Amino acid sequence: METKGASASGIVAILFVTGLVAQAKPDFSGTWTLIAATDKSGDLMKTREVRLIALLQWDPETITIEGQKMTVSKPFETLVYMLDGTPSKDEEAGYVLTSKWEGKTLVTTMVFEDSITMSGKQIEKRRIGADGTMVVEMSGSRDQTLVYKKK
């Protein structure tokens, strides 16, 4: 009889641990290199365009995570994402980032207003693909998908 109780407890423990692993959030930490980009129509951007985007804005991305704070360092800017839903504001750049988890995808809303150049809203969905790449889908002021490979 005790054997049945022990094995039932073991099964419950395995199911609990499996559930925790399935719910684990992806770790975006590391340095990522842009390998592909698609525009809003889904067409792969030309190699020259990808290189230009990479050089100007997104390559490489170095991500560090400390507690509920994720810092994304790019060549010309550093973004701070609060992973607990707390808005983070960048006074100099004129935008507010608010992030929340939807399953294993980090969804960030960026609201920006710069009276000189632009104003609007951008939605960014960041996830780890099945092949280990980091996929960043953007919609709003920029509609595109960026795919990164970890260095």
Side-chain angles (χ1 to χ4, degrees), residues 47-73:
T47 304
R48 186 175 356 155
E49 291 170 327
V50 171
R51 258 191 251 126
L52 183 60
I53 289 170
L55 289 172
L56 293 177
Q57 294 180 321
W58 295 299
D59 190 30
E61 276 198 1
T62 301
I63 300 174
T64 55
I65 298 177
E66 297 174 13
Q68 292 297 314
K69 178 179 161 184
M70 180 173 84
T71 304
V72 179
S73 300

Side-chain angles (χ1 to χ4, degrees), residues 82-85 98-103 105-109 124:
M82 299 307 294
L83 303 178
D84 63 358
T98 306
S99 300
K100 66 179 180 174
W101 288 101
E102 290 183 2
T105 300
L106 182 64
V107 179
T108 301
T109 302
E124 175 185 284

Side-chain angles (χ1 to χ4, degrees), residues 5 14-15 31 36 47 51-54 66 70 96 99 106 109 117-118 122 129 136 141 143 150:
I14 290 170
L15 292 174
T31 300
T47 304
R51 258 191 251 126
L52 183 60
I53 289 170
E66 297 174 13
M70 180 173 84
V96 176
S99 300
L106 182 64
T109 302
T117 56
M118 64 171 80
Q122 180 80 21
V136 182
S141 61
D143 291 331
K150 197 168 196 173

Side-chain angles (χ1 to χ4, degrees), residues 134-148:
M134 180 173 64
V135 179
V136 182
E137 298 168 317
M138 299 177 182
S139 61
S141 61
R142 254 188 235 136
D143 291 331
Q144 57 196 9
T145 300
L146 307 174
V147 180
Y148 294 86

